[in-house]
Amino acid sequence: MRIGFQLNGSPVSVEAPDDLSLLHLLRDRLGFTGAKEGCGIGECGACSVLLDGQLVNSCLTLAAQADGREVITIEGVRGPDGGPNDLQRAFIDAGAVQCGYCTPGMVLAGEALLAKNRRPTRAQIREAISGNLCRCTGYQQIVDAIQVTAARREEGKANA
Ligand code: FES
Ligand code: FES
């Protein structure tokens, strides 16, 4: 079937089998390898992408489900200069990136949360990333990075 959607702000139209996962469409057919394949069964969040702004496990999402919709992968998250955005920089500064396997999904989970809750509590941040497993950081630094970004974005708005 032919699938058409917006990928990181650009239109994509691709022929794909009905049973192809969105993860494999992105990685293997379109070359967007930021979403990682960890478990492949919806348990680790390494494959997270945003589908119409909602965090989804792309390993459990059919490519066909993206038809007519908007997909954001980690490649679509960047600062105004094309480099890391404020949340990505906060991850780096906080030591929230170690092996980095979970990081694309964690950043997207953070962005999905901050889009709907500008002042999340630490408990709400933990809840928001509860579907994203990290074997390296112990989560503290990841929560720190999301919290500091929330505070800075609020401060930026207050000073704008
Ligand atoms: S690879 Fe999709 S949730 Fe683990
Ligand atoms: S930084 Fe290694 S799994 Fe999270």
Side-chain angles (χ1 to χ4, degrees):
M1 67 179 291
R2 180 150 290 276
I3 302 165
F5 59 100
Q6 291 285 318
L7 177 56
N8 299 330
S10 299
V12 166
S13 179
V14 63
E15 198 65 44
D18 293 358
D19 60 352
L20 187 71
S21 70
L22 180 58
L23 176 63
H24 285 129
L25 177 72
L26 291 168
R27 289 183 58 86
D28 305 338
R29 302 282 298 278
L30 299 173
F32 284 74
T33 55
K36 304 290 185 256
E37 181 158 25
C39 64
I41 55 170
E43 291 186 351
C44 74
C47 64
S48 298
V49 301
L50 301 181
L51 183 60
D52 287 343
Q54 297 293 317
L55 194 71
V56 298
N57 291 326
S58 63
C59 70
L60 292 187
T61 305
L62 287 173
Q65 290 175 264
D67 191 48
R69 301 172 75 183
E70 179 183 56
V71 176
I72 303 288
T73 67
I74 193 65
E75 289 91 343
V77 179
R78 59 183 70 181
D81 63 356
N85 78 354
D86 54 349
L87 179 58
Q88 291 164 317
R89 285 193 190 283
F91 266 68
I92 296 165
D93 294 344
V97 180
Q98 291 184 29
C99 82
Y101 207 80
C102 69
T103 308
M106 286 292 185
V107 168
L108 288 167
E111 290 291 4
L113 171 65
L114 295 180
K116 60 180 189 229
N117 182 352
R118 297 193 326 233
R119 291 178 205 161
T121 62
R122 289 184 78 80
Q124 288 169 331
I125 295 171
R126 284 194 174 267
E127 169 67 26
I129 62 170
S130 60
N132 296 73
L133 303 186
C134 177
R135 289 170 176 243
C136 305
T137 69
Y139 300 98
Q140 195 74 20
Q141 297 94 319
I142 293 169
V143 174
D144 290 347
I146 296 171
Q147 192 169 44
V148 81
T149 302
R152 286 179 185 152
R153 287 184 184 179
E154 280 300 281
E155 202 178 305
K157 281 206 187 82
N159 295 336

